Structure formats: structure tokens, C-alpha cells
Amino acid sequence: KGVSAKMDVLAHLARDGATDTWHGFPRRSFAIGGKAAWVAGPRQALPGNPWAWCLEFPDAFTDRCAAPMLLDRGYHYAHLSLFNNFGAPGALRLFDAFYAHLAAAGLARRAVLIGISRGGLSAYRWAAANPGQVSVVYGDAPVCDFKSWPGGKGRGCGSADDWAACQRLYGFADEAAALAYDGNPVDTLEPLARAGVALIHVVGDDDTVVPVAENTAVVEDRYRRLGGTVTVIHKAGTGHHPHGLEDPTPVVDFILTHDRRDPAVESHR
């Protein structure tokens, strides 16, 4: 039954796309809004076709960031190529179309979002706008406030070119408007807590690019105050790289424990 469900999903996605393999798993590629997209399928899908969606860098530190292990456990794994989008409004509209396409193909209603580095902005921004469609957010050294990165307004190094691009994509009139913005992930956690979305972060304690104190630590404190479920795995003596864990089992186990899908699926777990 699991194999049949997997084939149905990938066959649907392949109608106008290409077929290849990704880390030994079958993959279908297609386009959404003119942007490249793909879904890798497990050898045997879990009931309900659960899936993880990597918002940025699906091919960076892949083994360390849980993707092959999730595929081994029966998850689909998806990506829409929209690099350096900072979770801006235009990107969120394309993410909506991507989600709708995958849901129509038979993937689970609630997704697991993976936000690596700047992908944290995209993951959390889309999750806050669609809390009922997200089950877990896994942030790996995630950017949770663009004032920290790329803005560089705190302890981090920032990135002047990326900061200018971020302001342009959001349509801010000037830097003052960007700094006054209250729609960063650190500001929009309440909808996620109400929806029961579980959070897990993996961070390097010596990260000078995306400082923990300005990003993950703020999310952790505020989410706990909201009554949400949040776990943070600290890597002592580690900076922004390498992402993930040498053995990502703790992250995968967290996802399997907290991924809430349809009631009919829950009975098969």
C-alpha cells in the first residue's frame, strides 16, 4: 500500500517533468511559476504520504540535515528553487502554489518545514501564514530575524548586499521601515503555538553569522512562554558551519514523534 501511494504521488508530479535519482531515491522535477521544483520519494511511503520541505540549501550538508534518513523512514522530500528570497511576500505566493500542487498530488496536508540558515526566514514566514498546514519546523542555524542577518544590526557580521536585496524584495521605503517591521519569525510565533506546531533547532554556539542569542534563543524563550513545544540542540565550539549533526537521528526522531497528520494516518503509527 505504501509503495502504491508513493508511485501515485511521483507519477502525478511527473506529468510534465523529468525523472532522475537523488541520493539513491527516485525524484521527479517540474516547474512552479517558472521556478524549478522537485520531490524525492521514499522506497516505501508511510501512510498518508508525509513529507519534508527544505526551503533553502537541500544539497548542502544533506546527510547531516536528515534528508536521506527521512526518506529511509518513509517521507517524501521536496524543494522549490527560489534562492535568497528572505521569505518576502512574493516568495510566499510561490510557496502557496508549490504547497497546493503537492497537496493535490497526494502529499499530507501538514508538512515538515526545514529552514537551513537564511531558509529559516522562508520556513517560519510561510508557517506563520499557514499554521494549519505545518506540523514541525526544523531550523538549522536558522535566521529568525532579518535585522540580525543580513542586517547585521546586532553581534553578527551581516551582509550589506543581502540586506539591500532583502529590503528591495519586501518593498521597504528605507532602512528605518525595515527595522520597524514586526513580521519576522521572532515576532510571529503565536499562530504556530496555537496550531501545535513543534519546533526543533540545531545551532552552533559560536555562530557569528547567525548569532544564537539574536535568533534561536529569542524563538526558544518566546515559544516556551506561549506554551509551545521547542527543543534546541547546541553544538559547543561550532560556528555557522557545518550544518546539521554527524548523526541526525535526534532530529528525525523528533519529527516522527511530533509530526501530526490526519487522524486516519495517526491510527497507523
Side-chain angles (χ1 to χ4, degrees), residues 10 20 32 68 77 81 104-105 112 119 125 137 140 148 151 154 156-158 185 195 211 236 246 258 267-268:
L10 295 186
D20 64 359
I32 295 290
Y77 192 76
S81 183
V112 173
R125 288 265 298 153
V137 176
D140 203 290
S148 174
C157 55
E246 186 173 345
H258 294 91
S267 65
H268 288 84

Side-chain angles (χ1 to χ4, degrees), residues 22 54 56-65 77 116 241 243:
W22 187 80
C54 184
E56 293 265 20
F57 308 116
D59 294 306
F61 304 100
T62 305
D63 289 335
R64 294 175 59 94
C65 292
Y77 192 76
I116 300 171
H241 293 155
H243 287 293

